[in-house]
Amino acid sequence: MTRAETKPASPPRRLRLLRYPNLVIGAVMTVAVVLLGLAAPLLTSYDPYLQDLGSSLQLPSAAHLFGTDEFGRDLLTRVLYGARISLLEVTLSVSLALAVGLPLGVMAGYFGGVVDQIITWCADILYAFPGIVLAILIVSILGTNLINMLIAISVFAIPGYIRLTRSLTLALKELQYTEAALSLGASVPRIMFVHILRNALAPILVQATLTAGEVILSAAGLSFLGLGVQPPAAEWGAMMSEGRNYLGVATHLSLFPGLAITFTVLGLNLLGDGLRDRLDPRFRGRL
Amino acid sequence: MFTYLFRKVAMLPIMLLAVSLLIFSAVRLLPGDPARVMAGPQATQEAVDDMHERLGLGRPFLVQYQVFLSGALRGDLGESLHSKLPVTQDIAERLPYTAALALTSYLFAILVGLSTGIFAAIYRGTWFDHLAMIIAILGASIANFWLALMALTLFSVQLGWLPLLGAESWKSYILPSVTLGVLPAALIARMTRASMLENIHQDYVRTARAKGLGSRAVYLRHTLRNALIPIVTIVGLNFGGLLGGAVITETVFNWPGLGRLLVDAVRFRDYAVIQGVTLLTVIIVVSINLLVDVLLSAIDPRIRFE
């Protein structure tokens, strides 16, 4: 018998993905949120900001599937438009955290010595703050609005990226292809940002997906406290804050934005877990 | 062992010095005149001048920091703009409530997380394992304040079983503790399961079985003990997250703790309080992390020599 015969035939590419149910379910949920957010104006005929006091606080019905809020605005419309704000929050916060965290992490890992010590030190100091508390401190100084809130959230995501990229760089810089690139005359920045970073992409992608979920939770939390996105913006956390005054009377005002947050974050967490399983076999079936 | 601990403890003051400098500089970065902002919008010119003097704003930055630091070391963190009380007094009144909430919710998280993780690992692949892990990933994805609002609606508003707001009796602790503990419980359950599974197939477990030990002894005395390191790490590292979560939970339940003090302080632009509460939170988190390091080095001697 030849070796090829003893090996079971590998399933087609499409079916192989099914071995990672988290990945598939998470990806479907995340894509659904993105599409619903982008297509919001096509999916609903209501305006998320136009008030209609005559139909305020209506319970879910055929005309308003999620009911209406205290100003008579259609809640489903606001939840759909809320997905757009969340997408914006995730894109901006994660990009900012990556833009600062990755170069610092690569430099710390590549150069070592004093550079490493200083960068690791700064990351440790930021790590000492509970994320939300650091964000509140930053927002209290910069002022409460969407952009300042996103800066605040990015700041507490940065040390995670610094640590991750640093440890990946430490391992990757010892590999032969890095040495080969160096001996072929590649410049240090090219090695750091092309050769090393490209090979570190998989774990960074996993981390970015998991951070995206945290960004949504933190942003909703800060907006709920009144320290982030301000009403009347259709932001999920701010909507829950408005609904807080009607618990038991019009609970749907808090229920639906919360379900939207849970659905989105669950999708991102499943996607992150699935990607980790897929990209790093050591984690398969562990978490 | 002592060299390791000494190094860790010696880093603590340096770290806190850096953190206090960061918080201090952040508040000095306020747009406009910090004295005017800290004295409040209704302050008279005299009060602003007084604040200017108090903060030592005319002096060089490092001298100002020194004044702040020597005050902080003596327990003087300034006066609250809102309550007109010393910040340390405000904090002292609120701290016990936050400490009690953090302890009860962490106790809940550890009990539920640890036992779920252990059973899920022992019964790997069964319906219990699948269900537990689905609930765990759901628990890690829910906004705790949303869960708090929903629980409040059901148990307090509609059923009337539990008190609505405040911290009057032991019943008041149930909803805040549970809703705040869900996220750490989920993380602990996932980590416990993973860590148990990693150890369950090790040679020493097989040896323990071979010498005739019962299942309970094998799982609890051998496997769990070796699986504890990542579990203790995640329990320790998440304490900061729990304190962060408490800020929002306290606001939902009108809980008279530090988190609400902080949120109110931001609303009133009460910077002395913001400075004080932030600093205290960091001191707590850094001390807990140190405690975890000590605990880990006691559990696993290898860590001390790394």
Side-chain angles (χ1 to χ4, degrees):
Chain A
M1 213 193 284
T2 62
R3 273 185 68 186
E5 279 168 326
T6 55
K7 250 178 145 184
S10 57
R13 212 181 157 72
R14 247 176 321 133
L15 290 180
R16 241 180 294 162
L17 267 184
L18 293 181
R19 269 189 289 170
Y20 305 99
N22 285 2
L23 181 65
V24 178
I25 299 171
V28 169
M29 290 169 76
T30 307
V31 170
V33 174
V34 174
L35 290 181
L36 287 173
L38 292 179
L42 306 173
L43 297 172
T44 164
S45 52
Y46 296 104
D47 183 300
Y49 298 109
L50 195 66
Q51 299 188 4
D52 173 14
L53 294 175
S55 51
S56 68
L57 295 178
Q58 284 183 11
L59 291 177
S61 64
H64 300 283
L65 286 178
F66 286 3
T68 60
D69 69 4
E70 57 186 317
F71 299 108
R73 297 171 297 203
D74 180 60
L75 203 63
L76 175 62
T77 305
R78 285 177 65 75
V79 169
L80 286 174
Y81 276 83
R84 295 178 147 209
I85 297 186
S86 289
L87 291 177
L88 183 74
E89 289 168 352
V90 166
T91 317
L92 291 180
S93 273
V94 176
S95 314
L96 190 59
L98 284 172
V100 180
L102 295 194
L104 288 176
V106 175
M107 285 196 282
Y110 192 84
F111 293 121
V114 183
V115 176
D116 182 22
Q117 273 173 0
I118 294 175
I119 295 176
T120 311
W121 221 146
C122 294
D124 282 349
I125 291 174
L126 287 183
Y127 244 136
F129 288 85
I132 285 282
V133 174
L134 181 61
I136 290 178
L137 177 70
I138 295 173
V139 164
S140 74
I141 287 153
L142 298 179
T144 49
N145 62 43
L146 175 72
I147 298 296
N148 292 343
M149 175 186 77
L150 294 181
I151 293 174
I153 293 176
S154 309
V155 170
F156 75 73
I158 289 171
Y161 288 106
I162 293 181
R163 283 189 177 182
L164 177 69
T165 323
R166 177 183 172 273
S167 65
L168 292 168
T169 308
L170 282 177
L172 288 171
K173 78 170 181 183
E174 302 298 334
L175 295 184
Q176 277 184 338
Y177 72 83
T178 314
E179 276 178 42
L182 199 61
S183 58
L184 283 173
S187 65
V188 170
R190 188 176 164 79
I191 290 179
M192 287 199 298
F193 296 109
V194 178
H195 296 276
I196 291 184
L197 214 49
R198 194 165 56 193
N199 286 284
L201 269 187
I204 291 171
L205 182 68
V206 173
Q207 172 101 346
T209 316
L210 297 173
T211 317
E214 284 168 26
V215 167
I216 292 184
L217 289 178
S218 311
L222 286 171
S223 302
F224 178 77
L225 292 175
L227 305 178
V229 181
Q230 302 295 319
E235 204 271 352
W236 292 335
M239 287 162 71
M240 271 195 263
S241 174
E242 287 177 314
R244 195 182 156 202
N245 302 324
Y246 299 97
L247 289 182
V249 186
T251 312
H252 62 276
L253 295 187
S254 312
L255 177 73
F256 291 114
L259 283 177
I261 292 178
T262 309
F263 183 84
T264 311
V265 178
L266 183 64
L268 286 165
N269 283 345
L270 285 171
L271 183 64
D273 271 6
L275 278 175
R276 186 171 46 196
D277 285 353
R278 172 77 183 81
L279 299 172
D280 186 350
R282 277 177 306 161
F283 284 104
R284 205 161 288 164
R286 272 192 53 196
L287 286 173
Chain B
M1 174 85 182
F2 284 109
T3 328
Y4 173 82
L5 286 185
F6 181 75
R7 224 176 39 216
K8 286 275 171 195
V9 175
M11 285 302 280
L12 193 70
I14 303 173
M15 169 71 102
L16 291 178
L17 208 63
V19 167
S20 65
L21 184 62
L22 185 74
I23 296 174
F24 176 80
S25 339
V27 173
R28 290 301 179 281
L29 281 177
L30 281 169
D33 178 8
R36 178 156 289 284
V37 178
M38 289 183 85
Q42 264 95 48
T44 58
Q45 187 55 43
E46 199 181 333
V48 175
D49 291 343
D50 192 40
M51 183 62 82
H52 213 273
E53 184 61 31
R54 207 184 135 84
L55 297 173
L57 286 176
R59 283 176 277 179
F61 179 80
L62 280 178
V63 179
Q64 293 179 36
Y65 174 61
Q66 195 200 340
V67 172
F68 165 74
L69 193 66
S70 62
L73 288 174
R74 280 181 281 112
D76 175 14
L77 288 166
E79 196 178 86
S80 159
L81 192 65
H82 181 61
S83 69
K84 307 286 178 216
L85 292 171
V87 173
T88 30
Q89 191 180 331
D90 261 347
I91 289 180
E93 278 170 19
R94 308 293 193 100
L95 183 62
Y97 289 99
T98 298
L101 177 62
L103 283 181
T104 47
S105 64
Y106 231 31
L107 205 63
F108 165 80
I110 291 172
L111 280 177
V112 173
L114 208 59
S115 48
T116 312
I118 292 173
F119 282 112
I122 294 177
Y123 300 108
R124 188 189 185 179
T126 61
W127 67 267
F128 176 80
D129 179 25
H130 293 307
L131 185 69
M133 287 307 108
I134 289 172
I135 295 177
I137 196 160
L138 198 63
S141 311
I142 284 184
N144 68 0
F145 56 97
W146 177 66
L147 195 63
L149 287 177
M150 293 300 110
L152 203 60
T153 311
L154 181 64
F155 295 106
S156 307
V157 178
Q158 279 169 354
L159 297 172
W161 291 351
L162 294 168
L164 195 54
L165 299 167
E168 266 79 53
S169 70
W170 65 270
K171 280 185 175 175
S172 316
Y173 280 81
I174 297 177
L175 287 183
S177 308
V178 171
T179 50
L180 182 58
V182 164
L183 175 65
L187 299 177
I188 293 170
R190 276 154 65 89
M191 183 50 89
T192 306
R193 176 181 178 273
S195 186
M196 287 284 287
L197 285 179
E198 204 153 85
N199 281 281
I200 244 165
H201 301 295
Q202 301 280 337
D203 287 343
Y204 72 85
V205 176
R206 204 171 311 135
T207 312
R209 276 191 190 288
K211 68 180 188 186
L213 280 184
S215 284
R216 189 186 293 177
V218 171
Y219 287 130
L220 293 185
R221 230 184 296 148
H222 288 72
T223 319
L224 182 62
R225 197 171 175 170
N226 282 284
L228 265 184
I229 294 151
I231 302 172
V232 171
T233 311
I234 204 161
V235 166
L237 287 183
N238 269 293
F239 194 77
L242 183 92
L243 282 184
V247 174
I248 308 182
T249 306
E250 287 183 4
T251 308
V252 174
F253 289 100
N254 224 6
W255 192 263
L258 284 180
R260 233 186 76 211
L261 183 66
L262 179 64
V263 174
D264 288 344
V266 176
R267 273 193 204 125
F268 298 123
R269 297 177 71 85
D270 195 344
Y271 286 98
V273 175
I274 298 177
Q275 218 168 241
V277 175
T278 318
L279 193 60
L280 179 72
T281 319
V282 176
I283 293 174
I284 296 174
V285 172
V286 174
S287 314
I288 297 268
N289 286 350
L290 179 70
L291 198 70
V292 171
D293 277 338
V294 174
L295 210 60
L296 284 176
S297 69
I299 298 175
D300 186 352
R302 281 173 301 183
I303 291 172
R304 299 198 289 267
F305 300 109
E306 259 175 23

